[in-house]
């Protein structure tokens, strides 16, 4: 199927690539079908692109590339929705807000996207009672942690 995208023009995707967000995303509740597209060769940054509306495209990243000790619990209801029985069943993504200059770019650690990639089901989880915020400066993470996490990511 062909889709129009915000950053990549028109692309052909397979139906098996579509991730269903049954409740949509906060602010985009009507958007339920997305595809994950690599933004750079290494896949550090990706785009969660709406299948139906090209203007709805969120830049995302794996938060563990920047913060290896990032952790939170996924409630039972979300685990059931995602058909996830172990942590290995899901991938975690965080929404990135790109800024100019790039040093002002932020990442949302308070509302991670949890996706069961095997089942193509996702949900954005809002974390309460947490020290995580919606606007962590990417530049605030220690360079050694980012380089170490990036090396681990490439070896997997």
């Amino acid at each position: 199927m062909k889709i129009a995208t915000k950053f990549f023009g028109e692309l052909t995707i397979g139906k098996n690539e579509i991730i269903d967000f049954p409740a949509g995303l906060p602010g985009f509740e009507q958007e339920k079908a997305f595809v994950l597209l690599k933004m750079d060769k290494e896949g550090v940054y990706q785009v969660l692109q709406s299948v139906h509306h090209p203007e709805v495209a969120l830049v995302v990243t794996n938060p563990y590339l920047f913060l290896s000790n990032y952790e939170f619990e996924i409630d039972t209801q979300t685990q059931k929705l995602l058909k996830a029985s172990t942590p290995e069943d899901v991938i975690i993504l965080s929404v990135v807000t790109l800024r100019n200059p790039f040093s002002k770019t932020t990442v949302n650690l308070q509302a991670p996207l949890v996706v069961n990639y095997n089942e193509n089901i996702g949900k954005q989880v809002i974390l309460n009672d947490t020290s995580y915020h919606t606007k962590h400066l990417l530049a605030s993470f220690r360079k050694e942690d980012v380089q170490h996490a990036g090396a681990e990511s490439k070896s997997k």
Side-chain angles (χ1 to χ4, degrees):
M1 105 186 256
K2 290 189 185 243
I3 65 167
T5 70
K6 183 173 184 173
F7 300 109
F8 308 107
E10 189 173 271
L11 294 177
T12 301
I13 62 164
K15 289 191 182 207
N16 62 331
E17 295 177 73
I18 297 173
I19 302 167
D20 179 38
F21 283 79
L25 300 174
F28 302 101
E29 288 80 5
Q30 74 287 358
E31 298 293 330
K32 301 191 185 308
F34 289 86
V35 64
L36 200 55
L37 306 169
K38 281 187 180 179
M39 201 168 190
D40 58 353
K41 191 166 67 169
E42 293 80 23
V44 172
Y45 299 100
Q46 300 175 68
V47 176
L48 187 67
Q49 174 67 59
S50 166
V51 171
H52 301 293
H53 297 95
E55 67 278 5
V56 180
L58 304 172
V59 176
V60 297
T61 192
N62 176 342
Y64 298 100
L65 295 176
F66 302 93
L67 187 63
S68 60
N69 63 349
Y70 180 57
E71 62 180 37
F72 60 92
E73 290 196 28
I74 300 172
D75 63 75
T76 304
Q77 184 178 357
T78 299
Q79 289 176 31
K80 286 180 184 175
L81 170 78
L82 298 177
K83 301 177 184 175
S85 54
T86 69
E88 291 75 27
D89 292 336
V90 298
I91 60 170
I92 307 299
L93 299 168
S94 292
V95 176
V96 175
T97 302
L98 296 172
R99 303 270 189 229
N100 191 5
F102 189 78
S103 61
K104 295 195 182 288
T105 294
T106 60
V107 63
N108 181 344
L109 297 177
Q110 190 175 9
L113 299 164
V114 183
V115 177
N116 182 333
Y117 216 72
N118 297 318
E119 299 289 335
N120 286 344
I121 302 172
K123 179 178 180 184
Q124 187 166 24
V125 178
I126 310 299
L127 304 177
N128 297 311
D129 301 323
T130 180
S131 61
Y132 301 124
H133 306 287
T134 59
K135 295 183 180 183
H136 287 271
L137 280 175
L138 275 182
S140 70
F141 297 106
R142 293 183 335 161
K143 202 171 222 169
E144 307 82 56
D145 289 343
V146 174
Q147 289 170 344
H148 179 69
E152 284 180 2
S153 172
K154 289 179 184 176
S155 68
K156 291 182 181 176

